[in-house]
């Protein structure tokens, strides 16, 4: 079997040479610089049952890029992958997306016995046995013809915010259960790559549900081609469909091997601690029920005055008051998965720079899930619009604090867990740290050890 990572490198080069994707190297990991839109999409293709959202205006190469990658990773032609895609609009129906009842089953003659026909159908479509005093018998299964999109392991939802909220619930169920149901029948989706694209708010768009946003694992902005990219695209020598035939393609075995290769990337204790602490920095709140900000609703949010008078309020190094939401445990899983995938793609699987990979990946995992403090977001350099940069700055503050100022605090807690000092000694030492993690996490964990 060929090395799939080498083929992915060849694919990146071919996309640029054929002018099928040209973008700035806006993603920096250590000494490496790559295009974020492309490499985050590639990282998602290395995983399964994660959903990547490409967000940006019309003509930003969102849908085309995902379909080009789908062609390369699945071995299908560009037209075949494009035909699998579903596009949002209010009149899109479940039958068009998922499947429909096979009408041929109703024209088949019913099974017969010596006493005549044995089954018929009631008006609800459930089969019942004739000549029997009981109607509790198991009905015959309804045959559903599933659409190619439902059966595909490369699912693209184009313009997801053109689906109204009722239709969005379908995708929420799909990402949550990894199966779909129709007419009483269920289709197991298996391990699948999910991609969605989204335009800014237009007259025909709908807000995305918060629960659905939490199940979108990562989101990357897709921007219009800049001046240099425009010049490069002007040199494209053919139609996209024709050029796509020249792209390297992974074999089915290579495509199947990617999740295992990604899972084999080890994350050191520094990365694991930074991930957990990052979540707690956004989630801990001593005024929330159970100190858990994910339980806040309505008017009891930081933006609605919850933090007034709190001694952490207006401290720029503390994250909790700067966003309304806490973060679910799904964020922890996504941070670990995409850190591994990006390290694998960049050839950093065996290096000690994975903390830098986490710094790069984390803002893209978080920014679509958070509602920033408007007062802070409207200041320079954010100007009310640069939410990703706002998330990057908060991530940087959290990780730096974990690795530096919290170093002694973390060591005290670790020594108590390892039995080198007693929990009471550790609690006394930690009482001198004015840090939400020390007061609301470490101290309470040590109390349970006493």
């Amino acid at each position: 079997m060929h090395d799939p990572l080498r083929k992915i490198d060849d694919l990146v080069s071919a996309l640029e040479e054929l002018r099928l994707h040209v973008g700035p190297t806006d993603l920096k990991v250590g000494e490496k610089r790559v295009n974020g839109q492309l490499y985050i999409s590639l990282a998602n293709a290395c995983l399964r049952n994660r959903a990547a959202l490409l967000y940006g205006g019309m003509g930003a190469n969102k849908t085309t890029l995902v379909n080009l990658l789908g062609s390369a990773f699945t071995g299908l032609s560009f037209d075949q992958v494009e035909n699998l895609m579903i596009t949002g609009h209010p009149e899109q129906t479940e039958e068009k997306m998922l499947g429909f009842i096979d009408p041929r089953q109703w024209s088949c003659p019913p099974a017969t016995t010596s006493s005549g026909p044995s089954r018929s159908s009631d008006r609800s479509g459930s089969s019942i046995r004739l000549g029997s005093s009981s109607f509790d018998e198991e009905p015959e299964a309804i045959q559903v013809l599933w659409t190619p999109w439902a059966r595909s392991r490369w699912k693209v939802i184009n313009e997801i915010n053109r689906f109204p909220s009722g239709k969005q619930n379908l995708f929420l169920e799909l990402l949550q259960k990894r199966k779909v149901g129709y007419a009483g029948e269920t289709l197991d989706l298996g391990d699948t790559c999910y991609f969605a694209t989204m335009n800014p708010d237009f007259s025909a768009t709908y807000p995305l549900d918060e629960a659905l946003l939490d199940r979108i694992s990562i989101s990357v902005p897709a921007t219009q081609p800049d001046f240099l990219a425009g010049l490069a695209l002007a040199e494209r020598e053919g139609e996209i469909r024709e050029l796509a035939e020249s792209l390297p393609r992974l074999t089915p075995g290579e495509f199947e091997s990617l999740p295992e290769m990604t899972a084999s990337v080890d994350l050191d204790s520094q990365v694991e601690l930074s991930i957990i602490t990052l979540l707690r920095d956004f989630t801990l709140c001593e005024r929330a029920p159970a100190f858990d900000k994910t339980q806040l609703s309505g008017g009891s949010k930081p933006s609605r005055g919850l933090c007034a008078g709190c001694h952490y309020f207006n401290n720029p190094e503390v994250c909790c008051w700067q966003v309304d939401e806490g973060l679910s445990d799904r964020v922890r899983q996504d941070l670990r998965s995409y850190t591994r995938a990006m390290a694998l793609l960049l050839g950093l699987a065996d290096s000690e720079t994975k903390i830098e990979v986490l710094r790069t990946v984390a803002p893209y995992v978080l920014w679509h899930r958070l509602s920033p403090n408007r007062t802070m977001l409207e200041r320079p350099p954010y100007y009310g619009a640069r939410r990703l940069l706002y998330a990057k700055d908060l991530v940087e503050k959290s990780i730096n604090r974990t690795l530096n100022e919290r170093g002694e605090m973390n060591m005290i807690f670790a020594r108590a867990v390892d039995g080198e000092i007693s929990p009471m000694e550790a609690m006394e030492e930690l009482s001198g740290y004015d840090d939400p993690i020390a007061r609301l996490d470490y101290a309470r964990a040590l109390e349970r050890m006493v």
Side-chain angles (χ1 to χ4, degrees):
M1 184 177 70
H2 296 292
D3 181 6
L5 295 179
R6 180 170 295 179
K7 273 196 181 175
I8 292 174
D9 288 340
D10 293 341
L11 172 62
V12 171
S13 299
L15 287 169
E16 185 172 357
E17 291 170 4
L18 297 171
R19 304 293 193 266
L20 290 173
H21 179 76
V22 181
T25 54
D26 53 352
L27 204 66
K28 185 177 184 295
V29 183
E31 299 300 319
K32 294 179 178 287
R33 298 187 72 95
V34 295
N35 176 252
Q37 181 181 350
L38 174 58
Y39 269 79
I40 286 176
S41 299
L42 289 171
N44 193 64
C46 292
L47 301 168
R48 299 294 180 270
N49 304 313
R50 297 286 190 270
L53 175 68
L54 281 71
Y55 172 84
M58 296 177 289
N61 199 35
K62 305 184 298 295
T63 308
T64 301
L65 175 61
V66 172
N67 286 334
L68 287 168
L69 295 182
S71 176
F73 277 84
T74 65
L76 300 174
S77 71
F78 180 80
D79 281 334
Q80 287 174 314
V81 174
E82 194 173 49
N83 291 338
L84 286 174
M85 176 181 65
I86 60 170
T87 298
H89 59 80
E91 302 305 318
Q92 184 74 275
T93 63
E94 286 188 75
E95 288 80 5
K96 294 177 182 177
M97 292 187 286
L98 300 180
F100 55 92
I101 298 174
D102 186 354
R104 294 172 295 184
Q105 63 191 307
W106 310 122
S107 62
C108 296
T112 58
T113 63
S114 58
S115 59
S118 62
R119 285 188 181 271
S120 182
S121 296
D122 64 9
R123 289 160 66 175
S124 67
S126 299
S127 298
I128 57 175
R129 186 180 297 276
L130 296 179
S132 171
S133 60
S134 173
F135 287 83
D136 297 329
E137 298 181 14
E138 187 71 21
E140 292 180 356
I142 293 176
Q143 300 299 317
V144 175
L145 295 177
W146 300 103
T147 64
W149 182 84
R151 291 184 279 106
S152 172
R153 295 183 59 201
W154 185 278
K155 286 184 169 56
V156 181
I157 308 167
N158 189 33
E159 298 190 19
I160 190 172
N161 60 333
R162 288 173 64 89
F163 286 99
S165 57
K167 299 289 187 355
Q168 291 179 25
N169 289 334
L170 170 67
F171 305 125
L172 177 62
E173 180 182 15
L174 181 145
L175 293 172
Q176 182 179 4
K177 297 181 179 179
R178 301 178 188 174
K179 58 182 67 174
V180 292
Y182 184 77
E185 295 297 294
T186 301
L187 175 67
D188 191 338
L189 301 176
D191 290 334
T192 303
C193 292
Y194 297 95
F195 290 88
T197 68
M198 176 176 168
N199 288 328
D201 294 340
F202 296 137
S203 59
T205 60
Y206 300 85
L208 284 192
D209 178 72
E210 287 84 354
L212 178 57
L213 280 172
D214 187 47
R215 284 172 174 82
I216 290 174
S217 305
I218 196 165
S219 178
V220 57
T223 58
Q224 300 292 332
D226 59 15
F227 182 78
L228 292 177
L231 291 176
L233 292 173
E235 298 175 2
R236 185 185 288 165
E237 297 180 351
E239 293 294 325
I240 292 175
R241 285 170 174 77
E242 299 170 359
L243 297 174
E245 296 302 316
S246 303
L247 293 176
R249 282 178 167 75
L250 277 69
T251 65
E254 290 169 339
F255 182 56
E256 295 294 337
S257 69
L258 289 171
E260 185 177 351
M261 294 176 65
T262 303
S264 68
V265 177
D266 289 328
L267 300 179
D268 54 51
S269 58
Q270 190 181 56
V271 173
E272 296 283 16
L273 177 63
S274 296
I275 289 175
I276 296 172
T277 308
L278 179 63
L279 262 68
R280 301 305 289 162
D281 272 335
F282 283 89
T283 303
L284 274 179
C285 175
E286 62 184 7
R287 298 185 178 186
F291 309 111
D292 178 4
K293 205 165 61 170
T294 62
Q295 301 188 47
L296 295 176
S297 62
S300 61
K301 291 180 179 290
S303 63
R304 300 295 182 90
L306 174 70
C307 303
C310 176
H311 60 293
Y312 294 124
F313 184 53
N314 276 334
N315 181 344
E317 299 303 316
V318 179
C319 299
C320 56
W321 65 273
Q322 300 190 58
V323 293
D324 272 352
E325 298 85 357
L327 297 173
S328 71
D329 190 63
R330 277 184 286 271
V331 178
R332 178 186 61 83
Q333 301 171 40
D334 292 337
L335 287 170
R336 299 178 81 241
S337 296
Y338 285 97
T339 299
R340 285 189 167 113
M342 191 64 71
L344 182 71
L345 288 171
L346 296 177
L348 303 174
D350 300 320
S351 73
E352 298 179 356
T353 60
K354 296 190 190 72
I355 190 66
E356 300 304 319
V357 180
L358 175 63
R359 288 181 196 270
T360 301
V361 166
Y364 296 90
V365 175
L366 300 185
W367 74 291
H368 62 287
R369 289 165 152 131
L370 300 173
S371 296
N373 180 300
R374 294 302 305 181
T375 303
M376 298 294 292
L377 183 63
E378 289 169 1
R379 297 176 181 174
Y382 314 116
Y383 301 103
R386 305 179 71 182
R387 291 181 56 177
L388 178 60
L389 179 60
Y390 186 85
K392 284 182 179 179
D393 288 346
L394 292 181
V395 166
E396 192 73 15
K397 290 174 183 178
S398 174
I399 293 178
N400 286 343
R401 193 174 186 191
T402 297
L403 300 181
N404 298 308
E405 291 92 334
R406 287 173 171 157
E408 292 184 5
M409 183 184 84
N410 297 334
M411 186 63 67
I412 293 169
F413 181 74
R415 289 174 60 202
V417 172
D418 293 339
E420 297 179 13
I421 59 175
S422 70
M424 293 300 297
E425 289 179 272
M427 289 172 62
E428 184 176 351
E429 291 189 48
L430 288 172
S431 64
Y433 292 87
D434 185 21
D435 189 297
I437 302 291
R439 293 178 57 248
L440 303 179
D441 265 342
Y442 288 179
R444 294 181 179 277
L446 293 170
E447 284 176 359
R448 294 195 291 269
M449 296 172 57
V450 175

